[in-house]
Amino acid sequence: FAGLGTTGLEVGIGERIGGAAGLRMSAEFLDLARDFERNGATYDTRLKFSSFGVYGDYFLAGGFRVTAGALLGTRKASGDAVATNGTITINGTSYPAAGESVAAEAKFPSAAPYLGIGWGHHQPASGMNFYVDLGVVIGKADAKLTPSAGILAAAGAANIAAEQANLQESVDKLKAYPALKIGFGYKF
């Protein structure tokens, strides 16, 4: 099977293991980048996933199923902010920072449980089939803030630590990553 979703491009194999149960394995890749300007800074952001998924399916009726599994690998969001108006704000205070930058990264656990529901991966006869998955990858990310030397000197370690704590608090609000996938498979 192969598909697309919020966890990226997915390719995998699956097998019914008897009755109402099935097992699937997939590789999932996502690499999205976006550059934008806001509040006097240029941002370069990236969302990058490279995961191996292992899933157990239980078919309730026809192709409708519940799924439990895990994603193993790297999932992170990162970004760099470069001051373009001569200042950058750290912990509520603006500092002179022409050409200076601050990098931020939120890295999700390398092993995370998955829970979901879906349709598909059940076709009894050979041929093409369709699938859809709706679920969540559970796990909070760890955030890290890395300022350039000029920002660190101007703001001080205590303000950088306070800004990193604010970033971690924001990231902690996302306790699960939504997973929506659609695609096609072929049964041999």
Side-chain angles (χ1 to χ4, degrees), residues 45-82:
T45 60
R46 169 166 258 152
L47 185 62
K48 189 169 186 172
F49 294 173
S50 179
S51 301
F52 175 72
V54 179
Y55 305 100
D57 296 321
Y58 185 78
F59 294 89
L60 300 172
F64 182 72
R65 60 185 156 71
V66 293
T67 301
L71 284 175
L72 311 168
T74 303
R75 290 173 314 285
K76 67 180 179 177
S78 60
D80 293 312
V82 177

Side-chain angles (χ1 to χ4, degrees), residues 2-58:
L4 290 171
T6 58
T7 58
L9 172 65
E10 174 183 51
V11 293
I13 59 172
E15 182 68 37
R16 289 290 288 264
I17 57 172
L23 288 176
R24 290 181 287 132
M25 294 183 291
S26 67
E28 302 173 17
F29 306 97
L30 177 69
D31 193 350
L32 296 174
R34 181 174 179 235
D35 299 337
F36 62 95
E37 289 189 26
R38 184 173 168 200
N39 296 334
T42 300
Y43 295 87
D44 174 16
T45 60
R46 169 166 258 152
L47 185 62
K48 189 169 186 172
F49 294 173
S50 179
S51 301
F52 175 72
V54 179
Y55 305 100
D57 296 321
Y58 185 78

